[in-house]
Amino acid sequence: MTQELGGFAALELHPNIVAAVVATGYEEPSAIQQQSIPIILAGHDMIGQAQTGTGKTAAFALPILHRIDPSKREPQALILAPTRELALQVATAFETYAKQMPGVTVVAVYGGAPMGPQLKAIRNGAQIVVATPGRLCDHLRRDEKVLATVNHLVLDEADEMLKLGFMDDLEVIFKAMPETRQTVLFSATLPQSIRAIAERHLRDPKHVKIQTKTQTVTAIEQAHLLVHADQKTSAVLSLLEVEDFDALIMFVRTKQATLDLASALEARGYKAAALNGDIAQNQRERVIDSLKDGRLDIVVATDVAARGLDVPRITHVFNVDMPYDPESYVHRIGRTGRAGREGRALLLVTPRERRMLQVIERVTGQKVAEVRLPDAQAVLDARIKKLTNSLAPLVADAEATHGDLLDRLTADIGCTPRALAAALLRKATNGQALTLAAIEKERPLVPNSAPRERTGERSGDRPERSSADRERRAPMPLAEGRARCRTALGARDGIAAKNLLGAILNEGGLAREAIGRIQVRDSFSLVELPEDGLERLLTKLKDTRVAGKQLKLRRYRED
Ligand code: ADP
Ligand code: MG
């Protein structure tokens, strides 16, 4: 086992559980996990108090998975959650952590779905039952023995359950379980009503409280941006256009995300590299040295890999993924504003993470202002400013060194100096037209439309589906006479379906009806084109550029 597994491996969990956790990309246990797991493993009752987003699910799921007996086909652990969404989330998390434990099954029991299949799953030997109290009581009314074999009980978000009026249901459930069971209670707050439950139903509980102390981070200007999870890469690329940074560190949650984002940035011409726990220590040091001396400008890191990182050049911190506790937020943004300089920290927030934003504001005692994605005008201004800044210093003596060459070239070509200067600018900008229209065309995100909370979103995005998963989604069946073609340009290159359509219509000389579905993914796009004359069409489109990049459309065979 490598040293990086140290964090979770040191907790004495079953190696298959540790392996599954590491495979999800967690590098280190969070504070609540570090403290709760040994207590639950030892069989104690426990009261855990910690804010949202601190990683409570794994804090109970991992030790409980360790303690159940997969060879026994009967319910052994019950997790109660206040809502159907939370129950589904917890059930999904259990399934993820149990991936390498054959024979372990999880059933989610909640209202609004037929009772029959739920009961059947329990009777078929699911060891882990994740339920909302109301629906579970319905089951108990049909069969008072369903919980007779359960010897671990977890009340997740206990304060929320009481707020929703589940007190009486809880009492019914407690009675239906063996008194010798282990009971663990998690709650963000501990009002009197919760203490009373603990008093009556927990035996000699250990207390774990994760303190969220106020910390000051005054030298750092903080802002947040609301964005959907699948738009993060595009949002980062837009922000980079307008932020005036020297060196920048981006934080994500998993090793895979460090690699994905770093390569998206490199593809855009940024000097970027990934920094994660899988990278050998000496290689990590090289990355940090490169960031120090300017061979790199952007490092995409996990929390663990960036620990102790001290690079005075860092002017910006992007929290691309939410930190899992306010302390690590403070820690992360402390990577900028070093040595009394000013720093800027940006936090991307998905709709379901808004509560964590509030926690961060409370803990830091500061408001984290909302910013919007830069609009096309702002991007245009920023690009022109960059160009101006790069050319201005050359103007002073360029005429002395290259003036004669200019005269000669204008004479040879037979053009005006203005025409030649424009041609050189086109070259310097790689053919990008620096106009509002061109920039509007290449931008896939609509600024100033903050995402709204969608129903079911909480269950929908955790564990978050990786973009790789999404990209693996099977394409739709193809219509007769059409061929599927692929380009390596995707949303992260600023491509939208309408850009592809426009380019193919214009340069390919096709009728709109001849073009089938266009699917834009993060790192590539698929377009359905007529099979008839395809080779000719692709040759015609050979030099077509979209958003300043070569389209390079090729026939795509899925096999
Ligand atoms: P809580 O129940 O305290 O609100 P969750 O258990 O829902 O928090 O966890 C919040 C997020 O943090 C989830 O997306 C989860 O996958 C992630 N997470 C939990 N533990 C870790 C860890 N040790 N390392 C990285 N991410 C983690
Ligand atoms: Mg939770």
Side-chain angles (χ1 to χ4, degrees):
M1 227 174 263
T2 75
Q3 199 200 336
E4 286 311 322
L5 300 187
F8 277 101
L11 289 169
E12 300 188 352
L13 291 160
H14 191 287
N16 290 357
I17 300 177
V18 175
V21 167
V22 170
T24 66
Y26 301 176
E27 296 193 323
E28 282 266 289
S30 67
I32 187 88
Q33 291 162 5
Q34 189 85 50
Q35 294 185 38
S36 311
I37 291 173
I39 295 175
I40 301 174
L41 279 178
H44 296 293
D45 283 6
M46 194 195 100
I47 299 174
Q49 191 183 354
Q51 290 300 335
T52 313
T54 47
K56 292 191 286 294
T57 316
F60 60 78
L62 304 180
I64 285 200
L65 276 174
H66 180 97
R67 282 175 59 86
I68 59 159
D69 179 354
S71 68
K72 276 203 202 139
R73 310 289 307 163
E74 60 189 23
Q76 296 169 47
L78 168 66
I79 295 49
L80 291 175
T83 64
R84 164 202 161 114
E85 281 70 32
L86 287 167
L88 281 167
Q89 264 176 41
V90 169
T92 310
F94 262 98
E95 276 164 358
T96 307
Y97 304 142
K99 262 209 185 103
Q100 312 200 19
M101 299 191 71
V104 175
T105 35
V106 182
V107 57
V109 167
Y110 49 83
M115 289 180 70
Q118 296 177 352
L119 197 57
K120 200 166 156 213
I122 297 176
R123 292 204 174 120
N124 279 349
Q127 294 92 346
I128 294 160
V129 180
V130 186
T132 54
R135 173 50 72 93
L136 187 64
C137 281
D138 295 341
H139 282 292
L140 280 171
R141 275 189 279 279
R142 284 194 184 179
D143 174 2
E144 57 182 4
K145 288 262 168 289
V146 262
L147 299 179
T149 54
V150 172
N151 40 28
H152 307 280
L153 169 66
V154 178
L155 306 175
D156 191 18
E157 305 215 10
D159 48 357
E160 294 293 322
M161 278 197 281
L162 292 196
K163 272 191 213 150
L164 294 174
F166 283 131
M167 188 70 197
D168 294 344
D169 289 337
L170 289 184
E171 294 294 340
V172 172
I173 294 167
F174 283 128
K175 273 207 203 82
M177 298 179 59
E179 273 188 10
T180 53
R181 65 164 193 272
Q182 174 182 32
T183 309
V184 172
L185 181 156
F186 278 97
S187 199
T189 58
L190 286 188
Q192 185 46 41
S193 52
I194 303 269
R195 287 174 209 273
I197 288 190
E199 189 86 353
R200 278 202 306 280
H201 298 287
L202 274 64
R203 275 168 308 144
D204 198 11
K206 307 262 182 225
H207 288 255
V208 170
K209 180 170 178 182
I210 302 306
Q211 290 288 355
T212 42
K213 2 176 202 350
T214 305
Q215 315 227 11
T216 38
V217 280
T218 40
I220 301 162
E221 186 188 315
Q222 302 169 64
H224 79 273
L225 181 102
L226 289 170
V227 65
H228 280 299
D230 58 357
Q231 295 181 329
K232 282 185 179 177
T233 306
S234 313
V236 165
L237 291 171
S238 295
L239 290 168
L240 285 177
E241 298 248 18
V242 296
E243 290 292 333
D244 187 11
F245 66 94
D246 193 2
L248 193 153
I249 180 155
M250 297 187 185
F251 284 98
V252 293
R253 271 195 166 154
T254 65
K255 295 170 190 169
Q256 190 56 46
T258 63
L259 302 175
D260 291 347
L261 188 52
S263 61
L265 293 169
E266 276 192 293
R268 275 283 183 125
Y270 291 104
K271 291 185 280 175
L275 196 67
N276 66 49
D278 273 354
I279 296 171
Q281 185 58 35
N282 55 355
Q283 173 62 21
R284 274 194 248 174
E285 276 158 21
R286 271 206 295 281
V287 168
I288 292 167
D289 286 343
S290 302
L291 190 66
K292 278 186 182 151
D293 64 26
R295 276 173 295 158
L296 283 176
D297 292 326
I298 304 179
V299 163
V300 186
T302 55
D303 290 283
V304 174
R307 193 164 289 166
L309 187 134
D310 186 3
V311 178
R313 269 188 76 219
I314 296 177
T315 52
H316 284 62
V317 172
F318 279 14
N319 292 284
V320 179
D321 290 336
M322 188 61 92
Y324 52 86
D325 51 47
E327 284 74 24
S328 62
Y329 173 78
V330 172
H331 205 81
R332 285 176 175 190
I333 71 173
R335 299 305 100 207
T336 183
R338 309 299 275 183
R341 298 179 207 208
E342 284 184 5
R344 182 160 158 80
L346 278 167
L347 175 66
L348 301 194
V349 182
T350 63
R352 64 164 288 266
E353 291 169 336
R354 282 189 228 194
R355 275 209 288 173
M356 187 62 179
L357 173 64
Q358 288 163 11
V359 174
I360 286 174
E361 289 183 330
R362 203 166 59 240
V363 169
T364 57
Q366 280 175 36
K367 193 102 191 100
V368 179
E370 184 180 352
V371 292
R372 298 291 169 105
L373 277 176
D375 60 13
Q377 184 65 52
V379 171
L380 177 64
D381 292 346
R383 285 193 195 168
I384 291 178
K385 189 171 157 212
K386 258 181 223 153
L387 193 60
T388 309
N389 289 346
S390 69
L391 293 177
L394 306 177
V395 169
D397 65 346
E399 231 183 307
T401 60
H402 288 70
D404 290 344
L405 182 60
L406 179 79
D407 292 340
R408 162 100 197 252
L409 290 179
T410 47
D412 286 359
I413 300 170
C415 66
T416 61
R418 186 170 193 264
L420 185 57
L424 290 171
L425 281 177
R426 182 188 286 166
K427 209 168 171 193
T429 56
N430 290 321
Q432 269 179 12
L434 286 185
T435 64
L436 210 50
I439 286 170
E440 263 158 7
K441 232 175 162 185
E442 74 180 62
R443 288 160 48 79
L445 289 175
V446 188
N448 302 331
S449 67
R452 297 269 150 260
E453 194 107 30
R454 291 187 296 232
T455 37
E457 178 132 28
R458 295 193 64 171
S459 55
D461 65 21
R462 181 142 48 96
E464 239 155 53
R465 261 211 287 165
S466 68
S467 57
D469 267 358
R470 270 196 302 277
E471 309 230 314
R472 253 179 261 122
R473 255 186 334 212
M476 300 278 286
L478 205 52
E480 268 263 305
R482 287 243 168 87
R484 187 169 277 127
C485 296
R486 183 184 192 280
T487 163
L489 301 183
R492 71 172 177 211
D493 304 290
I495 300 285
K498 63 168 195 257
N499 309 137
L500 290 175
L501 181 64
I504 297 169
L505 287 178
N506 289 341
E507 317 245 323
L510 290 180
R512 171 68 190 92
E513 305 73 57
I515 303 177
R517 278 159 41 90
I518 299 182
Q519 295 163 272
V520 177
R521 298 278 189 265
D522 201 35
S523 59
F524 66 90
S525 305
L526 300 176
V527 185
E528 295 172 4
L529 295 171
E531 176 73 323
D532 195 8
L534 183 67
E535 295 314 319
R536 231 176 319 128
L537 177 65
L538 294 183
T539 317
K540 231 182 193 174
L541 294 174
K542 202 164 55 72
D543 294 316
T544 301
R545 299 177 83 91
V546 183
K549 295 193 170 180
Q550 281 235 302
L551 180 60
K552 290 209 189 121
L553 208 53
R554 299 234 188 322
R555 183 193 279 272
Y556 176 61
R557 296 178 205 280
E558 49 263 334
D559 41 85

